[in-house]
Amino acid sequence: MIASFIITFRETLEAALIIGIILAYLARTKKQKYNILVYLGTIAAIILSITAALIFGVLSISFEGTAEQIFEGITMLLAAFLLTFMILWMMKRRHVAHEIREHVSEELQEKHKLGLFFIAFIAVLREGIETVLFLGALTFTTGKVSIFGGFAGIVLAIFLGYAFFRGTKKINLKIFFSITSILLILFAAGLVAHGVHEFEEARIIPTVVEHVWDINPPINPDGSYPLLHEKGYIGSIAKGLFGYNGDPSLIEVLSYIAYLILIFILWRNIEKVHKVI
């Protein structure tokens, strides 16, 4: 539930902030008559995102055996790549509001009014497709996705996005994106490790050491899983959020650590560049 909430909350809030910036600029320049183009672009993107979710669902159940393992592994690694790209992109674009206003201003000046439609469409569609892919990868990792958690994340993000631009809420976006970025980095590291695991099962990657350790508690006499087991209540939450694995292979552990080292180096380099600027 928590992982689903964080994913939908972060992605929806990003889309809501972008749409809010566009609408706020139109209101400030007294161009509200073009709001309808922004709304239509948003609705079209949502419809296409839902369609993509349905297609992904059909594809995910159409594979079996090795093909299924390869499909799940590719999905997890692709989701990890997109998550990483998104986080680093947000770190570089610290003046995203100014950039969006410039794009909107250019569209209005050049009288390419449909450009407003496509700005909203692309912004929302990108977040929508990412959400579909991330939740799909989460499903493969934990075996389930919380519909309630996902829906709650969407509702809260829309509310905060609206309240932020109405001036009724003061949100420190820098702190918010820093905290959620750290959580998503750990989530992405888990996706990398689980993606590697799927490729090991498909025998694309050799299993050097099957279990580096095994700290999963024994299954209860009634067949249920203990809380700290990777399939237990607490363990499954940690698995969904941080990629926790009670009995990982050597390659899984190395891939998890390698990803965190890589993202740390990239993060530090971006921070250094901004300090110089």
Side-chain angles (χ1 to χ4, degrees), residues 34-56:
Y34 298 121
N35 284 3
I36 185 63
L37 295 174
V38 179
Y39 297 145
L40 290 175
T42 301
I43 293 172
I46 292 174
I47 293 174
L48 191 55
S49 297
I50 293 174
T51 303
L54 295 175
I55 294 174
F56 183 88

mmCIF file of all heavy atoms in Angstrom, residues 34-56:
data_model
loop_
_atom_site.group_PDB
_atom_site.id
_atom_site.type_symbol
_atom_site.label_atom_id
_atom_site.label_comp_id
_atom_site.label_asym_id
_atom_site.label_seq_id
_atom_site.Cartn_x
_atom_site.Cartn_y
_atom_site.Cartn_z
ATOM 1 N N TYR A 34 -8.130 29.990 -23.006
ATOM 2 C CA TYR A 34 -7.381 28.852 -23.532
ATOM 3 C C TYR A 34 -7.280 27.706 -22.517
ATOM 4 O O TYR A 34 -6.631 26.691 -22.791
ATOM 5 C CB TYR A 34 -5.972 29.294 -23.939
ATOM 6 C CG TYR A 34 -5.972 30.322 -25.037
ATOM 7 C CD1 TYR A 34 -5.378 31.574 -24.845
ATOM 8 C CD2 TYR A 34 -6.566 30.052 -26.272
ATOM 9 C CE1 TYR A 34 -5.384 32.522 -25.851
ATOM 10 C CE2 TYR A 34 -6.580 30.999 -27.273
ATOM 11 C CZ TYR A 34 -5.994 32.228 -27.065
ATOM 12 O OH TYR A 34 -6.007 33.166 -28.077
ATOM 13 N N ASN A 35 -7.919 27.881 -21.360
ATOM 14 C CA ASN A 35 -7.905 26.820 -20.349
ATOM 15 C C ASN A 35 -8.465 25.517 -20.901
ATOM 16 O O ASN A 35 -8.013 24.427 -20.545
ATOM 17 C CB ASN A 35 -8.716 27.230 -19.119
ATOM 18 C CG ASN A 35 -7.969 28.223 -18.239
ATOM 19 O OD1 ASN A 35 -6.866 28.640 -18.569
ATOM 20 N ND2 ASN A 35 -8.575 28.602 -17.126
ATOM 21 N N ILE A 36 -9.468 25.617 -21.772
ATOM 22 C CA ILE A 36 -10.125 24.436 -22.318
ATOM 23 C C ILE A 36 -9.123 23.542 -23.047
ATOM 24 O O ILE A 36 -9.211 22.309 -23.015
ATOM 25 C CB ILE A 36 -11.280 24.842 -23.284
ATOM 26 C CG1 ILE A 36 -12.023 23.600 -23.750
ATOM 27 C CG2 ILE A 36 -10.743 25.659 -24.434
ATOM 28 C CD1 ILE A 36 -12.714 22.829 -22.690
ATOM 29 N N LEU A 37 -8.117 24.156 -23.695
ATOM 30 C CA LEU A 37 -7.099 23.363 -24.399
ATOM 31 C C LEU A 37 -6.247 22.570 -23.412
ATOM 32 O O LEU A 37 -5.865 21.425 -23.678
ATOM 33 C CB LEU A 37 -6.216 24.284 -25.239
ATOM 34 C CG LEU A 37 -6.907 25.003 -26.401
ATOM 35 C CD1 LEU A 37 -5.955 26.004 -27.050
ATOM 36 C CD2 LEU A 37 -7.396 23.994 -27.436
ATOM 37 N N VAL A 38 -5.959 23.188 -22.276
ATOM 38 C CA VAL A 38 -5.189 22.507 -21.232
ATOM 39 C C VAL A 38 -5.993 21.350 -20.659
ATOM 40 O O VAL A 38 -5.474 20.245 -20.459
ATOM 41 C CB VAL A 38 -4.797 23.493 -20.109
ATOM 42 C CG1 VAL A 38 -4.006 22.770 -19.016
ATOM 43 C CG2 VAL A 38 -3.982 24.648 -20.673
ATOM 44 N N TYR A 39 -7.299 21.596 -20.413
ATOM 45 C CA TYR A 39 -8.163 20.539 -19.884
ATOM 46 C C TYR A 39 -8.279 19.373 -20.863
ATOM 47 O O TYR A 39 -8.209 18.201 -20.471
ATOM 48 C CB TYR A 39 -9.563 21.102 -19.585
ATOM 49 C CG TYR A 39 -9.588 22.181 -18.527
ATOM 50 C CD1 TYR A 39 -10.491 23.249 -18.614
ATOM 51 C CD2 TYR A 39 -8.714 22.149 -17.453
ATOM 52 C CE1 TYR A 39 -10.521 24.250 -17.658
ATOM 53 C CE2 TYR A 39 -8.737 23.151 -16.488
ATOM 54 C CZ TYR A 39 -9.634 24.198 -16.595
ATOM 55 O OH TYR A 39 -9.661 25.186 -15.641
ATOM 56 N N LEU A 40 -8.449 19.688 -22.142
ATOM 57 C CA LEU A 40 -8.587 18.636 -23.152
ATOM 58 C C LEU A 40 -7.296 17.826 -23.271
ATOM 59 O O LEU A 40 -7.334 16.594 -23.414
ATOM 60 C CB LEU A 40 -8.956 19.245 -24.508
ATOM 61 C CG LEU A 40 -10.365 19.830 -24.624
ATOM 62 C CD1 LEU A 40 -10.558 20.505 -25.982
ATOM 63 C CD2 LEU A 40 -11.416 18.734 -24.430
ATOM 64 N N GLY A 41 -6.156 18.513 -23.211
ATOM 65 C CA GLY A 41 -4.878 17.809 -23.264
ATOM 66 C C GLY A 41 -4.705 16.879 -22.081
ATOM 67 O O GLY A 41 -4.225 15.746 -22.223
ATOM 68 N N THR A 42 -5.132 17.346 -20.908
ATOM 69 C CA THR A 42 -5.043 16.526 -19.695
ATOM 70 C C THR A 42 -5.940 15.306 -19.788
ATOM 71 O O THR A 42 -5.523 14.180 -19.480
ATOM 72 C CB THR A 42 -5.438 17.365 -18.461
ATOM 73 O OG1 THR A 42 -4.569 18.502 -18.362
ATOM 74 C CG2 THR A 42 -5.338 16.535 -17.192
ATOM 75 N N ILE A 43 -7.185 15.508 -20.228
ATOM 76 C CA ILE A 43 -8.139 14.400 -20.337
ATOM 77 C C ILE A 43 -7.663 13.375 -21.361
ATOM 78 O O ILE A 43 -7.727 12.161 -21.122
ATOM 79 C CB ILE A 43 -9.528 14.941 -20.726
ATOM 80 C CG1 ILE A 43 -10.105 15.778 -19.587
ATOM 81 C CG2 ILE A 43 -10.477 13.784 -21.061
ATOM 82 C CD1 ILE A 43 -11.379 16.514 -19.947
ATOM 83 N N ALA A 44 -7.164 13.846 -22.495
ATOM 84 C CA ALA A 44 -6.671 12.936 -23.536
ATOM 85 C C ALA A 44 -5.510 12.086 -23.013
ATOM 86 O O ALA A 44 -5.424 10.885 -23.296
ATOM 87 C CB ALA A 44 -6.240 13.729 -24.764
ATOM 88 N N ALA A 45 -4.627 12.712 -22.239
ATOM 89 C CA ALA A 45 -3.477 11.992 -21.688
ATOM 90 C C ALA A 45 -3.919 10.944 -20.670
ATOM 91 O O ALA A 45 -3.364 9.837 -20.619
ATOM 92 C CB ALA A 45 -2.512 12.980 -21.043
ATOM 93 N N ILE A 46 -4.919 11.282 -19.857
ATOM 94 C CA ILE A 46 -5.426 10.329 -18.867
ATOM 95 C C ILE A 46 -6.046 9.126 -19.566
ATOM 96 O O ILE A 46 -5.822 7.971 -19.176
ATOM 97 C CB ILE A 46 -6.456 11.009 -17.944
ATOM 98 C CG1 ILE A 46 -5.757 12.054 -17.058
ATOM 99 C CG2 ILE A 46 -7.171 9.978 -17.077
ATOM 100 C CD1 ILE A 46 -6.703 12.888 -16.221
ATOM 101 N N ILE A 47 -6.831 9.383 -20.611
ATOM 102 C CA ILE A 47 -7.460 8.283 -21.359
ATOM 103 C C ILE A 47 -6.406 7.375 -21.975
ATOM 104 O O ILE A 47 -6.499 6.143 -21.906
ATOM 105 C CB ILE A 47 -8.398 8.842 -22.457
ATOM 106 C CG1 ILE A 47 -9.590 9.544 -21.816
ATOM 107 C CG2 ILE A 47 -8.864 7.723 -23.387
ATOM 108 C CD1 ILE A 47 -10.495 10.250 -22.810
ATOM 109 N N LEU A 48 -5.376 7.978 -22.573
ATOM 110 C CA LEU A 48 -4.317 7.188 -23.196
ATOM 111 C C LEU A 48 -3.519 6.411 -22.145
ATOM 112 O O LEU A 48 -3.102 5.272 -22.390
ATOM 113 C CB LEU A 48 -3.380 8.103 -23.989
ATOM 114 C CG LEU A 48 -2.372 7.396 -24.913
ATOM 115 C CD1 LEU A 48 -3.097 6.458 -25.877
ATOM 116 C CD2 LEU A 48 -1.563 8.420 -25.699
ATOM 117 N N SER A 49 -3.327 7.001 -20.965
ATOM 118 C CA SER A 49 -2.608 6.318 -19.885
ATOM 119 C C SER A 49 -3.391 5.098 -19.402
ATOM 120 O O SER A 49 -2.813 4.034 -19.144
ATOM 121 C CB SER A 49 -2.363 7.280 -18.714
ATOM 122 O OG SER A 49 -1.537 8.355 -19.096
ATOM 123 N N ILE A 50 -4.715 5.252 -19.278
ATOM 124 C CA ILE A 50 -5.555 4.129 -18.870
ATOM 125 C C ILE A 50 -5.505 3.029 -19.925
ATOM 126 O O ILE A 50 -5.439 1.834 -19.601
ATOM 127 C CB ILE A 50 -7.016 4.599 -18.647
ATOM 128 C CG1 ILE A 50 -7.081 5.548 -17.441
ATOM 129 C CG2 ILE A 50 -7.940 3.407 -18.429
ATOM 130 C CD1 ILE A 50 -8.439 6.181 -17.231
ATOM 131 N N THR A 51 -5.516 3.431 -21.195
ATOM 132 C CA THR A 51 -5.410 2.461 -22.285
ATOM 133 C C THR A 51 -4.089 1.708 -22.201
ATOM 134 O O THR A 51 -4.038 0.478 -22.382
ATOM 135 C CB THR A 51 -5.515 3.165 -23.657
ATOM 136 O OG1 THR A 51 -6.746 3.887 -23.721
ATOM 137 C CG2 THR A 51 -5.445 2.156 -24.792
ATOM 138 N N ALA A 52 -3.017 2.434 -21.917
ATOM 139 C CA ALA A 52 -1.700 1.812 -21.782
ATOM 140 C C ALA A 52 -1.680 0.820 -20.622
ATOM 141 O O ALA A 52 -1.063 -0.249 -20.717
ATOM 142 C CB ALA A 52 -0.632 2.886 -21.573
ATOM 143 N N ALA A 53 -2.387 1.162 -19.530
ATOM 144 C CA ALA A 53 -2.459 0.267 -18.372
ATOM 145 C C ALA A 53 -3.169 -1.032 -18.742
ATOM 146 O O ALA A 53 -2.748 -2.126 -18.340
ATOM 147 C CB ALA A 53 -3.183 0.960 -17.225
ATOM 148 N N LEU A 54 -4.238 -0.914 -19.522
ATOM 149 C CA LEU A 54 -4.983 -2.102 -19.947
ATOM 150 C C LEU A 54 -4.129 -2.977 -20.866
ATOM 151 O O LEU A 54 -4.121 -4.206 -20.735
ATOM 152 C CB LEU A 54 -6.272 -1.686 -20.657
ATOM 153 C CG LEU A 54 -7.304 -0.948 -19.788
ATOM 154 C CD1 LEU A 54 -8.482 -0.485 -20.645
ATOM 155 C CD2 LEU A 54 -7.795 -1.851 -18.659
ATOM 156 N N ILE A 55 -3.410 -2.343 -21.786
ATOM 157 C CA ILE A 55 -2.541 -3.093 -22.696
ATOM 158 C C ILE A 55 -1.430 -3.790 -21.917
ATOM 159 O O ILE A 55 -1.105 -4.963 -22.160
ATOM 160 C CB ILE A 55 -1.930 -2.150 -23.758
ATOM 161 C CG1 ILE A 55 -3.029 -1.617 -24.676
ATOM 162 C CG2 ILE A 55 -0.868 -2.878 -24.577
ATOM 163 C CD1 ILE A 55 -2.552 -0.567 -25.657
ATOM 164 N N PHE A 56 -0.855 -3.072 -20.948
ATOM 165 C CA PHE A 56 0.204 -3.655 -20.128
ATOM 166 C C PHE A 56 -0.335 -4.856 -19.348
ATOM 167 O O PHE A 56 0.346 -5.882 -19.223
ATOM 168 C CB PHE A 56 0.748 -2.616 -19.156
ATOM 169 C CG PHE A 56 1.905 -3.107 -18.322
ATOM 170 C CD1 PHE A 56 3.202 -2.996 -18.793
ATOM 171 C CD2 PHE A 56 1.691 -3.674 -17.070
ATOM 172 C CE1 PHE A 56 4.275 -3.452 -18.032
ATOM 173 C CE2 PHE A 56 2.749 -4.130 -16.308
ATOM 174 C CZ PHE A 56 4.046 -4.022 -16.788
#
